[in-house]
């Protein structure tokens, strides 16, 4: 009679144990630095000045910033889903030459620093850009340039998150609906779409959070006409030195993201269900018929125009040296004095620095995110749902705030990490953990709970249940999560720019330093470094694509 309560109590203990490390990690390296920044802005010798919140929010210019931040994030999310969902289907269901290379290529934009993304699109849609030269069309300083750049940046989120689960859905379920008389679209809407709902919601959430906190893209393409919360926090902090206003905006950003995550958690719980997952190799086939070939062609054209063209601009600008096309900008990267004394070491060393930091950050993100995903696998109460929301907050809270927070909080024993190399990977892992959780969680929750219960009845410990039941089902998702964590670590800029040592710059920091200095040589070297970053990311992701788990008896 006491067996069930005993098992329930043991499951609760295991869940709390799994949550301990992620909670400690986020408490020390996220909540503490952000709280310190807010405290610096709103607390004086006479106490807390909460009246400043109303004063700041009553300003018309701040109201305009809040409105633009919200609606452009919603528009960017919808546009990204409309353009990327057909691509997710193609990558999940079709086999075609160059598929692995193309999958790695579409992920490259996600690793590029946003300042580079903005610069690439400026070369396309700005004064003297491709559209201006060919058709006389300029889109810079318009919202369309911002929206297209956001789609370019986030296209891979939908491809990887939705496509990863779509590839594992058993197509026979949709085929059975069609046998029973449902049309192709009706079968997809009633069978496949509900099964994909958690992954679509997770992708939408990540895209919204990234566009809600957009910084480099809006600053470059929007000019002075448009400003998001992230841009305004940076302006108030770095240019106007107005910490109270920056603190209020950080709190607003924090509250908005918390509300969004709460709604997301409530809606996703209503859609979760156990799914029949199969080996992705059994669900793919070559395009059949005119409609499928047309769909594949449309997706390839979209990728060519949206992804390849901006990346091609980066390569072209990196080769357009003063003496004619060549490798002049690349050779200059080997010089210590490159960038007019901007660097203490040759900029080329930033490649090795970035790879080391990204590998360390990926390991941290997989460890913390894996434990968090395991704890969140089973449905639970409000405490666990709040924990789930906490994990996503770093995607929506200002990276500028986090970077400044690291500087003013991690400077005393026992957490004096100012001169430690681990400081950069810790900041990068904060952004990587949400991707690990959101990528693994839909697959973990799709595993039939009866399999875990059967293993537990046979005497398996919780650790063995995870190893024998969950792990074989999520190994592919784990690889996808590792790829995402590595990619975002390579491209993280907002917090890293404040804490990377001058003698150990990362690639994004080196690019930003070069872009911040006038002159054709500095601009060309920035494009050269950006091209190298693009190639490093593409090679790394292509290697991950080839790391397929062994297939045995239907497992993957």
């Amino acid at each position: 009679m006491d067996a069930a309560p005993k098992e329930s109590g043991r499951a609760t203990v295991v869940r709390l144990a799994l949550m301990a490390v992620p909670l400690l990690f986020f408490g020390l390296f996220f909540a503490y630095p952000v709280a310190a920044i807010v405290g610096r802005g709103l607390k004086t010798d006479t106490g807390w000045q909460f009246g400043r919140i109303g004063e700041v929010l009553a300003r018309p210019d701040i109201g305009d910033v809040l409105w633009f931040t919200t609606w452009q994030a919603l528009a960017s999310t919808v546009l990204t889903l409309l353009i990327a969902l057909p691509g997710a289907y193609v990558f999940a269901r079709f086999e075609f030459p160059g598929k692995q290379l193309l999958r790695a290529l579409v992920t490259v934009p996600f690793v590029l620093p946003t300042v580079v993304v903005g610069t690439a699109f400026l070369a396309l849609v700005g004064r003297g850009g491709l559209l201006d030269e060919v058709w006389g069309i300029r889109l810079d300083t318009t919202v369309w340039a911002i929206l297209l750049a956001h789609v370019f940046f986030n296209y891979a989120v939908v491809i990887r998150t939705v496509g990863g689960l779509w590839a594992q859905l058993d197509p026979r379920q949709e085929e059975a609906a069609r046998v029973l008389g449902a049309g192709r679209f009706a079968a997809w809407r009633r069978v496949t779409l509900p099964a994909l709902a958690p992954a679509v919601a997770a992708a939408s959430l990540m895209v919204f959070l990234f566009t809600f906190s957009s910084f480099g893209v809006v600053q470059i393409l929007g000019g002075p006409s448009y400003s998001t919360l992230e841009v305004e926090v940076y302006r108030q902090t770095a240019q106007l030195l107005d910490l109270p206003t920056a603190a209020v905006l950080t709190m607003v950003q924090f509250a908005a993201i918390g509300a969004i995550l709460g709604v997301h958690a409530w809606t996703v719980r209503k859609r979760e269900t156990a799914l029949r997952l199969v080996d992705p190799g059994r669900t793919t086939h070559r395009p059949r018929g005119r409609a499928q070939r047309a769909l594949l062609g449309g997706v390839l054209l979209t990728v060519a125009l949206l992804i390849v063209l901006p990346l091609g601009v980066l390569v072209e600008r990196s080769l357009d040296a003063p003496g004619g096309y060549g490798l002049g900008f690349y050779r200059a990267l080997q010089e210590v004095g490159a960038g007019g004394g901007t660097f203490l070491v040759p900029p080329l060393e930033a490649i090795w620095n970035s790879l080391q930091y990204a590998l360390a950050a990926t390991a941290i993100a997989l460890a913390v995110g894996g434990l968090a995903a395991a704890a969140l696998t089973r449905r639970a109460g409000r405490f666990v749902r709040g924990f789930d929301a906490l994990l996503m907050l770093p995607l929506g809270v200002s990276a500028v705030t986090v970077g400044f927070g690291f500087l003013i909080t991690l400077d005393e024993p026992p957490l004096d990490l100012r001169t430690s190399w681990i400081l950069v990977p810790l900041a990068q892992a904060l952004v990587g953990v949400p991707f690990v959780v959101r990528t693994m969680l839909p697959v973990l929750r799709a595993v039939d709970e009866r399999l875990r219960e059967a293993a537990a009845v046979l005497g398996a410990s919780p650790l063995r249940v995870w190893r024998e039941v969950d792990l074989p089902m999520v190994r592919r998702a784990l690889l996808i999560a590792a790829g995402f964590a590595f990619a975002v670590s390579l491209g993280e800029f907002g917090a890293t720019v404040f804490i990377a040592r001058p003698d150990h710059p990362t690639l994004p920091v080196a690019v930003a330093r070069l872009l911040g200095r006038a002159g054709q040589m500095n601009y060309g070297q920035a494009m050269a470094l950006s091209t190298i970053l693009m190639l490093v990311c593409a090679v790394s992701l292509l290697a991950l694509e080839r790391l397929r788990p062994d297939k045995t008896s239907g497992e993957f």
Side-chain angles (χ1 to χ4, degrees):
M1 296 296 293
D2 297 331
K6 183 177 180 180
E7 290 296 326
S8 177
R10 185 169 70 169
T12 300
V13 171
V14 170
R15 185 194 297 273
L16 293 176
L18 291 171
M19 292 170 59
V21 172
L23 281 173
L24 180 63
F25 177 78
F26 276 84
L28 288 177
F29 302 114
F30 177 70
Y32 178 39
V34 171
I37 287 293
V38 173
R40 289 281 183 101
L42 295 182
K43 189 176 182 180
T44 64
D45 294 336
T46 59
W48 290 92
Q49 305 296 319
F50 291 113
R52 292 178 177 175
I53 298 177
E55 296 173 2
V56 172
L57 295 182
R59 289 164 46 181
D61 59 324
I62 298 300
D64 293 340
V65 169
L66 293 173
W67 168 241
F68 175 74
T69 300
T70 303
W71 82 256
Q72 67 81 25
L74 287 171
S76 297
T77 303
V78 172
L79 193 61
T80 301
L81 288 175
L82 290 175
I83 294 177
L85 279 177
Y89 174 79
V90 165
F91 279 102
R93 294 301 197 208
F94 292 170
E95 283 295 339
F96 53 90
K99 177 180 175 179
Q100 291 183 346
L101 177 62
L102 197 62
R103 193 199 303 270
L105 180 65
V106 299
T107 311
V108 169
F110 195 74
V111 73
L112 294 177
T114 54
V115 290
V116 176
V117 174
T119 303
F121 267 82
L122 193 64
L124 284 176
V125 304
R127 182 186 299 274
L130 181 62
L131 292 182
D132 190 19
E133 293 178 351
V134 177
W135 291 293
I137 299 174
R138 287 183 54 194
L139 297 178
D140 59 322
T141 68
T142 70
V143 73
W144 285 109
I146 295 172
L147 296 180
L148 288 175
H150 284 164
V151 176
F152 168 83
F153 189 77
N154 292 291
Y155 188 85
V157 176
V158 179
I159 297 295
R160 293 273 176 168
T161 306
V162 179
L165 180 59
W166 208 335
Q168 299 178 59
L169 293 181
D170 191 343
R172 291 174 296 182
Q173 299 177 74
E174 186 174 323
E175 292 168 2
R178 296 192 62 193
V179 169
L180 294 175
R184 183 183 298 274
F185 178 73
W188 178 83
R189 180 173 57 85
R190 296 176 182 176
V191 178
T192 304
L193 184 58
L196 289 174
V200 172
S204 302
L205 176 67
M206 286 187 285
V207 172
F208 184 88
L209 291 180
F210 269 104
T211 53
F212 189 83
S213 60
S214 183
F215 175 61
V217 167
V218 176
Q219 192 173 39
I220 293 174
L221 296 177
S225 303
Y226 300 102
S227 179
T228 59
L229 275 173
E230 185 84 355
V231 173
E232 194 65 22
V233 168
Y234 176 80
R235 191 173 76 91
Q236 296 292 338
T237 303
Q239 298 178 6
L240 303 180
L241 301 179
D242 188 350
L243 281 183
T245 298
V248 171
L249 295 180
T250 298
M251 293 175 64
V252 171
Q253 195 175 33
F254 200 90
I257 296 302
I260 294 164
L261 293 175
V263 173
H264 168 79
W266 177 72
T267 56
V268 166
R269 284 199 312 275
K270 295 182 175 296
R271 293 191 294 261
E272 288 171 353
T273 182
L275 306 177
R276 183 184 299 171
L277 303 180
V278 297
D279 180 354
R282 294 164 50 189
T283 67
T284 58
H285 57 81
R286 290 191 175 275
R288 308 185 188 113
R290 182 179 301 176
Q292 291 190 357
R293 287 193 291 269
L295 177 60
L296 174 59
V299 169
L300 293 179
L301 180 61
T302 299
V303 171
L305 295 177
L306 183 67
I307 306 295
V308 177
L309 190 57
L311 296 180
V313 170
L314 289 182
V315 178
E316 188 271 336
R317 294 296 173 93
S318 73
L319 296 173
D320 189 11
Y325 281 95
L327 301 177
F329 292 137
Y330 290 88
R331 285 192 289 268
L333 294 176
Q334 304 175 45
E335 303 171 6
V336 176
T342 303
F343 297 94
L344 301 178
V345 295
L348 209 58
E349 286 193 14
I351 301 172
W352 177 238
N353 296 336
S354 289
L355 289 175
Q356 288 179 303
Y357 288 142
L359 287 172
T362 301
I364 296 171
L366 288 176
V368 175
L371 291 172
L376 292 167
T377 299
R378 298 170 182 83
R379 302 178 185 181
R382 294 181 179 178
F383 176 73
V384 175
R385 294 197 294 270
F387 171 68
D388 188 11
L390 169 67
L391 299 175
M392 298 299 295
L393 285 176
L395 296 184
V397 173
S398 170
V400 174
T401 301
V402 175
F404 272 127
F406 268 46
L407 291 179
I408 67 173
T409 56
L410 304 180
D411 61 345
E412 296 180 358
L415 288 176
D416 187 358
L417 302 177
R418 288 173 299 175
T419 59
S420 174
W421 68 272
I422 197 65
L423 195 62
V424 173
L426 287 172
Q428 294 175 345
L430 279 173
V431 184
V433 168
F435 284 93
V436 173
V437 174
R438 294 269 76 85
T439 303
M440 294 182 62
L441 197 55
V443 178
L444 278 173
R445 285 178 169 172
V447 176
D448 195 334
E449 182 65 26
R450 291 172 295 183
L451 296 176
R452 299 189 183 101
E453 294 172 352
V457 168
L458 293 174
S461 65
L463 179 60
R464 187 172 182 184
V465 170
W466 160 258
R467 186 176 68 248
E468 300 294 339
V469 177
D470 293 85
L471 185 58
M473 301 294 288
V474 299
R475 279 184 291 187
R476 178 175 172 81
L478 190 63
L479 286 177
I480 295 174
F484 261 131
F486 186 78
V488 297
S489 298
L490 275 178
E492 205 287 321
F493 171 72
T496 305
V497 68
F498 295 103
I499 56 180
R501 290 161 48 183
D503 57 340
H504 283 80
T506 64
L507 276 170
V509 170
V511 169
R513 290 180 184 174
L514 289 167
L515 285 176
R517 299 180 66 89
Q520 183 182 9
M521 180 60 67
N522 288 317
Y523 179 80
Q525 289 180 88
M527 295 300 101
L529 272 181
S530 299
T531 301
I532 292 173
L533 176 57
M534 176 185 69
L535 293 176
V536 169
C537 175
V539 171
S540 303
L541 293 171
L542 185 60
L544 270 175
E545 287 296 321
R546 295 182 177 275
L547 290 177
R548 296 295 184 91
D550 296 331
K551 300 172 184 178
T552 57
S553 64
E555 294 180 354
F556 57 95

